[in-house]
Amino acid sequence: MRLIYNNLVDIASSLVADPVGIGSTNNLKNDRKSSVHRFQNLISDTVKYTLTWTTPQLINAIALPATNLLDNSTINVRLFASIGSTSPHTQSGTTFAAKDRLIQLPGNVTLPNYTHFSIGGATKTSIWLPGLATTTQKLEIIMAGTANIDCSRIVCGKYWEPARQVSRGITLGIQDSSESSVTRNGDVYINKTYIRESMQFELQYFTDSDRKQLLDIFRSWGSSNYVYVSVFPDNQNTEISRSYSIYGKSSDISLQYDIVNYYTTSLNLESW
Amino acid sequence: MAKTVAEIQEWLNNPNHIKCILADINYYNGTVEKTINLSTRSYFDTALGVNTEYLAIITGGLSFSESLSTDLRISISYGTLEIENTGGVYDYLLDYIWKRREIVLYIGDASWRKSDFVIIFSGLVDNLVSSGESQLQLTIVDKLESLNETIATRTLKNLTGYSIQSTQEEKILPLLFGEVFNLSPIFVDTGINFDPGPWTAIIKNINSTSSIQVGQTITATNGIGQLYGGTVISCTVLRIIDINTIMYSVTATSRPIPGSITNLIINASPISAISSKTLLIDQVKGTGGPVYKVSDSGLNELVEARDKGAPIDILNNRVASYGEFQLKYSSFGTITCTARSRASSDCNVPAIITNILLNYGTNKLTSTDLDLGNIDSSRAAYKVGIYVTERANILDICNELAKSINCGLYYSLFTINSGIVSKGKLKLVELKAPTTTVNAVELNDSLMLENTLQVSESFTLKPSIKLAYCKNYTQQKEDLALGLNPEVGEIYKDQYWYVEVKDPTLINLYKDSGIVEEEITHLLVTSEAQSEANKRLDLWKTSRQLITATYLPDLLFLQLGESVTIKSNRFNLINGKPGIVYSINRDWLTGFVEVGVLV
């Protein structure tokens, strides 16, 4: 399980889209899923977000928690030591961004876009760079695809990973908030609203150093800030990796003391 | 092209629709007028030449309700548009000017082009405020709000060239709309400034020849001469006082001003000897009496002027343009008149309201804003009139007029024409007895949500109706002319005439006293007042009820006052009853609509 909590995008000194696209790139800095930035495929197949910081940052995880990237879309993340640098110190290499993504949206939608994000039409993409210790002052996220690319949020920063993986019994939940109304004749009318995900799991018997780190996160981020969590970040089956990722916040935070130096907590994450 | 009503209804009934509300809102940023684009979910308008991003920050306030009332005041409630402002990101909007800027709201699917979206509200912004740290509220109003101002703004102070005394400067210049009976015009001039002549003037210092004789007409082949800038049309010797004082009757194109010095250049025989002399106009006497102003906006016809109730002769030359008349002679008592602002055929409610709304106030409407035709044709032709003598609100006056034909005035949220939705218009809504109407929309159990059907109001039955009409704007009980026929004098005593219609059977059945309070109207004609009273009796001689229920989106586009049929297995509606739409509350976020039907 990996968790990105301190989203460095929010302190980036610049966030530039190339080509410019539609919508402000500031839309990528807020936590409203419907607030997006769009690259038009009509203009370019390959597109790029460039982020810079005034001081170098440690970045070893980049996630896009809501995009419309397709099965054949690719992503490459390049990290540079300085703003002026032209050769990256690290790059992920071009890889599929949403491999094996199935698009089965109601209404025969085959090319989902930002309008479907609230009804389960978004996918998640994450790039993990374990062991990376070099700091970064410029980050490029390069994507390519055959359709418009809509992106709602960029998350990047340093991830935290406990020494032990989460316990069995991870619960994934899908909550459809649509309401049904019945007429006096008995016909049912569906008022479609939004679909949200939830994920619940336990971290059992983790060590004292993980306890300290987790408590730090909870104290500072509380239950009001969104975190990006991936339970199986390196799974070969990218679909599994995507499904067991969530951009959300924990509704309750508690820590249980089990035995000496071992602790347990339960995370109940609700998606944005 | 925007979707039709039928297409929108079908779309809303498809569970896969993705509802999106767009708002185009104008504001002034301190330098220029601009437009901000907001929405309930992210939306890009990528039409050719357009690249507009809609900020998805509208979080609520998209429920609009309209309701008739028995006093014909149509209440419209818009709530406020809630705007997300977490962290004060949009605080800067608070510095802008929003008052009376246009706002248009559209509904459509987030996957549609903007041009497919359909208008659900067009109106004005009242204000943008913040009631909390994370919310902004945009108060919206309909365009009627722009009529919420004084109709008569000119006062006597604005009159120049009149002899009216300065102490009355703040008095409002009256306005007449339609025809009214026996109004009191305001005195504006002694007549001295508007006397059309001819004038008689005593002209002194004439070194006359002895050949001038009383009664002699000065004639000429090439005009007679010049008198204080105007051409002398004729000149007759009235009296020879002495050799230096001769009284002439002069008809001139301009009025000689007493005390002024002029050249009377007589070109003609027999007084050529006095040409080019400096003359003193000593006294001028005209032919007209005092001048009264009836309406600051001119008149179509001054039907009759009266002095102490008796018809008098007037001079008509200032009636059409200035709305004034001049008495031929001095007055003896109270001057009143009956007058018309427009041709008789235009003295009806729709025509007068149109005239008012297009021509008065700071924020005038245009003819494309108006749709006053959709009412009973006989009611639309009833003669009416109203006389405004004090500061009065444009909206109040229009409402008063509409009420005279049992209509309410409102600005519809949108208009539907042949299934196409466009911006709202100012409309008259008629409160009338429901009748079976061909092709009326049927409100039935398959559209009503369960547990929402209720009788929300029962109206009081009225077995009699009494209407006051033909207002006498100047009640005169005394000081009438001695020679006036006593029967004629009677008509000046009462403020109104009355018609009354009764249903004796109902009076007995409901143990009613039969005494009924009059309803004031601005109607003029007895037969029309009678007909109006009958229509109102038709409406209220039955126990009317308001049946309210919440319906599926199929009925979102019903219009206030529309004839419908309501059918349900409850409240005796099993066979269907004709009704009229009395109230509508549309919730555009859920798509449900609460409709109240008068049956």
Side-chain angles (χ1 to χ4, degrees), chain B residues 293-580:
Chain B
K293 189 177 259 300
V294 178
S295 175
D296 196 32
S297 55
L299 292 174
N300 172 262
E301 187 184 349
L302 191 84
V303 180
E304 184 176 80
R306 305 178 194 95
D307 187 350
K308 297 175 87 171
I312 48 169
D313 284 342
I314 58 156
L315 300 169
N316 262 318
N317 55 317
R318 292 183 66 80
V319 167
S321 302
Y322 301 96
E324 296 165 1
F325 64 88
Q326 184 170 20
L327 305 189
K328 268 200 171 170
Y329 311 102
S330 298
S331 63
F332 294 97
T334 308
I335 299 295
T336 59
C337 68
T338 295
R340 222 173 7 235
S341 70
R342 313 163 59 80
S344 181
S345 58
D346 279 340
C347 291
N348 56 60
V349 172
I352 293 173
I353 289 180
T354 302
N355 174 38
I356 292 174
L357 298 181
L358 299 189
N359 298 300
Y360 293 87
T362 319
N363 304 288
K364 296 178 186 65
L365 298 185
T366 61
S367 53
T368 54
D369 290 323
L370 307 181
D371 179 14
L372 302 176
N374 198 25
I375 58 168
D376 175 80
S377 58
S378 62
R379 267 181 165 148
Y382 289 169
K383 301 269 181 298
V384 289
I386 191 166
Y387 193 47
V388 183
T389 56
E390 291 173 348
R391 286 188 194 279
N393 184 291
I394 293 177
L395 200 50
D396 288 344
I397 289 172
C398 293
N399 273 321
E400 281 280 304
L401 288 166
K403 204 173 160 182
S404 294
I405 55 170
N406 222 39
C407 287
L409 193 68
Y410 90 122
Y411 212 100
S412 64
L413 304 184
F414 48 80
T415 307
I416 299 169
N417 195 357
S418 305
I420 300 291
V421 186
S422 54
K423 286 185 183 179
K425 287 175 186 276
L426 190 101
K427 291 186 174 195
L428 286 169
V429 178
E430 199 178 357
L431 189 54
K432 61 184 178 186
T435 50
T436 306
T437 310
V438 182
N439 294 331
V441 175
E442 184 177 282
L443 284 58
N444 55 39
D445 284 345
S446 63
L447 295 172
M448 288 174 203
L449 297 189
E450 61 175 354
N451 302 323
T452 61
L453 182 68
Q454 59 171 319
V455 178
S456 54
E457 195 173 349
S458 291
F459 297 97
T460 311
L461 178 139
K462 293 182 188 173
S464 11
I465 296 284
K466 183 178 179 183
L467 294 188
Y469 70 104
C470 197
K471 182 175 179 179
N472 172 15
Y473 277 80
T474 313
Q475 276 180 276
Q476 291 170 287
K477 295 178 181 171
E478 295 163 354
D479 191 35
L480 289 166
L482 288 174
L484 207 60
N485 181 333
E487 283 180 14
V488 174
E490 285 296 312
I491 66 171
Y492 302 122
K493 288 183 179 173
D494 295 323
Q495 193 177 12
Y496 286 102
W497 287 13
Y498 299 96
V499 288
E500 197 168 350
V501 288
K502 291 174 185 289
D503 187 324
T505 314
L506 285 177
I507 289 173
N508 280 336
L509 207 54
Y510 283 85
K511 302 184 189 307
D512 190 82
S513 67
I515 299 166
V516 59
E517 197 178 327
E518 74 264 20
E519 297 169 29
I520 306 290
T521 73
H522 295 279
L523 299 171
L524 294 171
V525 181
T526 306
S527 61
E528 292 172 352
Q530 189 76 41
S531 162
E532 176 61 35
N534 284 331
K535 286 183 169 126
R536 294 189 192 191
L537 186 66
D538 265 357
L539 171 61
W540 297 121
K541 72 182 180 185
T542 309
S543 285
R544 301 285 176 195
Q545 291 176 323
L546 185 63
I547 310 274
T548 312
T550 303
Y551 295 88
L552 293 184
D554 302 65
L555 300 180
L556 273 170
F557 290 93
L558 277 181
Q559 297 275 284
L560 212 56
E562 186 173 334
S563 292
V564 293
T565 304
I566 184 166
K567 197 172 182 180
S568 174
N569 58 5
R570 288 296 313 275
F571 305 126
N572 308 317
L573 301 170
I574 189 78
N575 295 320
K577 268 190 183 177
I580 61 167

Side-chain angles (χ1 to χ4, degrees), chain A residues 174-195:
Chain A
I174 308 284
Q175 290 127 29
D176 187 340
S177 301
S178 301
E179 291 173 356
S180 301
S181 304
V182 182
T183 67
R184 300 192 78 242
N185 267 0
D187 300 328
V188 178
Y189 177 85
I190 308 291
N191 194 20
K192 191 163 187 143
T193 53
Y194 54 88
I195 294 172

Side-chain angles (χ1 to χ4, degrees), chain A residues 236-252:
Chain A
Q236 292 298 308
N237 182 347
T238 55
E239 194 279 320
I240 284 276
S241 179
R242 283 200 303 278
S243 293
Y244 285 87
S245 297
I246 192 165
Y247 186 56
K249 52 192 181 185
S250 182
S251 53
D252 61 83

Side-chain angles (χ1 to χ4, degrees), chain B residues 13-51:
Chain B
N13 274 305
N14 179 344
N16 295 323
H17 73 263
I18 304 172
K19 216 173 285 145
C20 179
I21 311 277
L22 306 179
D24 294 339
I25 310 163
N26 294 347
Y27 65 94
Y28 181 71
N29 70 356
T31 315
V32 286
E33 296 284 342
K34 296 194 78 171
T35 303
I36 190 169
N37 309 101
L38 307 181
S39 59
T40 52
R41 57 165 64 238
S42 226
Y43 182 81
F44 297 118
D45 179 10
T46 53
L48 197 64
V50 182
N51 237 352

Side-chain angles (χ1 to χ4, degrees), chain A residues 112-186:
Chain A
N113 58 42
Y114 67 92
T115 62
H116 305 102
F117 284 2
S118 64
I119 54 165
T123 189
K124 304 168 205 114
T125 296
S126 54
I127 301 286
W128 308 92
L129 303 165
L132 179 63
T134 315
T135 56
T136 298
Q137 204 175 358
K138 182 169 80 170
L139 170 68
E140 288 180 356
I141 302 170
I142 301 157
M143 293 176 284
T146 52
N148 293 337
I149 294 177
D150 296 338
C151 185
S152 177
R153 181 74 161 129
I154 299 176
V155 179
C156 72
K158 189 175 70 171
Y159 70 82
W160 169 73
E161 186 174 33
R164 291 175 65 94
Q165 174 65 309
V166 298
S167 310
R168 290 178 187 175
I170 305 167
T171 309
L172 267 185
I174 308 284
Q175 290 127 29
D176 187 340
S177 301
S178 301
E179 291 173 356
S180 301
S181 304
V182 182
T183 67
R184 300 192 78 242
N185 267 0

